[in-house]
Amino acid sequence: MRNLDWDGYLNARDLGGLPTSASPTGATVPGRIARGPRREFLTEQGWRDARGWGLAGVVDLRCADEVGARDGDPVVADGASEGVRIVNAPTEDQDDPEFREVCFPILDSPEYWRHNFRILPQLVLGALTAIADAPSGVLVHCSAGRDRTGMVSALLLGNAGVAPEAVAADYAESVRAMAGANSHAPTHDRQATWGQDEVDRWIAQTAPIVEDVAADVDGAFAVIGADDALRTRLRERLTAP
């Protein structure tokens, strides 16, 4: 099963198990990369569940000032994450004037992904490099595990030969999982109040955008500045035996 049952942790999925001709097994390999929301949602049992999956590293896509416990987060012992390699690799610079002007109004939509590639390619490249450098069994997360994590997951899956429709379906799962949930995002998250009707309309509206990004993953990686060696490392993480 791709859904990961880590205590306290909604919207967690393994990027393995999706059909691709790039893998000898015909599917992306499980146990290599997981996606999810902010790790502060994890209870102590959740950390144990994650370790049982094979968690060895975390790549946190949030800006530094977003990191840390918030009201309502579970209280966990200081050593809960001991031994897990945690790297902060933000995909956004929220002080960048162009990023603020262009992306802030659409941060909860895949519409902003291509703008992020163009305006801050070095940050997206840094996040991808951090994933390639991470130990196998890495969790990639942001706040909701939907938008920044969705963007990076679309690149990883598209690069691994997963069909655009399947990439869009993976994004849609995160929209469904986080609707009505408070993710403590840095900007207002209108989806935190959505019900099923809003979710269905949103998925119908945004699925073509996600599919277009996944279908043109070569173009996206070119804009970001990722070379063939990095792309191969990322692809093999999800496809090599």
Side-chain angles (χ1 to χ4, degrees):
M1 292 179 62
R2 295 188 58 233
N3 289 330
L4 298 172
D5 186 17
W6 299 351
D7 190 59
Y9 204 57
L10 69 173
N11 186 28
R13 287 188 307 287
D14 196 317
L15 292 189
L18 291 169
T20 174
S21 59
S23 172
T25 66
T28 51
V29 181
R32 305 278 182 83
I33 303 176
R35 60 174 294 174
R38 52 195 297 274
R39 64 183 179 277
E40 291 87 354
F41 284 135
L42 286 165
T43 65
E44 289 194 26
Q45 179 59 50
W47 279 103
R48 288 191 289 269
D49 294 336
R51 291 176 188 277
W53 171 79
L55 184 68
V58 172
V59 174
D60 184 346
L61 305 177
R62 297 175 296 174
C63 297
D65 61 0
E66 297 176 67
V67 179
R70 300 285 189 271
D71 289 344
D73 288 340
V75 177
V76 298
D78 291 340
S81 61
E82 186 176 355
V84 177
R85 177 182 166 192
I86 298 175
V87 175
N88 187 225
T91 57
E92 300 178 359
D93 177 358
Q94 294 169 4
D95 293 325
D96 182 276
E98 185 178 6
F99 184 84
R100 291 180 64 89
E101 179 181 358
V102 174
C103 297
F104 265 36
I106 52 174
L107 278 179
D108 66 347
S109 169
E111 292 176 274
Y112 93 89
W113 293 357
R114 290 186 185 276
H115 295 298
N116 202 159
F117 303 158
R118 175 181 59 81
I119 298 169
L120 299 169
Q122 73 282 4
L123 293 186
V124 182
L125 179 62
L128 293 170
T129 302
I131 295 168
D133 290 343
S136 186
V138 59
L139 168 66
V140 180
H141 78 81
C142 55
S143 290
R146 182 192 62 214
D147 302 308
R148 286 169 284 190
T149 303
M151 175 181 73
V152 170
S153 295
L155 293 173
L156 294 173
L157 293 173
N159 186 55
V162 175
E165 296 81 4
V167 177
D170 183 65
Y171 165 78
E173 285 299 307
S174 288
V175 174
R176 293 188 183 96
M178 294 306 296
N182 182 4
S183 65
H184 299 288
T187 56
H188 174 67
D189 184 2
R190 55 181 168 166
Q191 297 189 29
T193 63
W194 281 3
Q196 190 60 52
D197 289 343
E198 291 98 334
V199 168
D200 290 343
R201 286 194 295 270
W202 184 255
I203 289 172
Q205 175 184 335
T206 56
I209 302 172
V210 180
E211 290 179 18
D212 284 348
V213 170
D216 186 31
V217 71
D218 290 346
F221 274 101
V223 171
I224 293 163
D227 60 21
D228 288 343
L230 176 60
R231 292 191 61 180
T232 297
R233 292 173 65 204
L234 292 169
R235 184 181 304 111
E236 288 180 347
R237 175 63 63 93
L238 283 173
T239 62

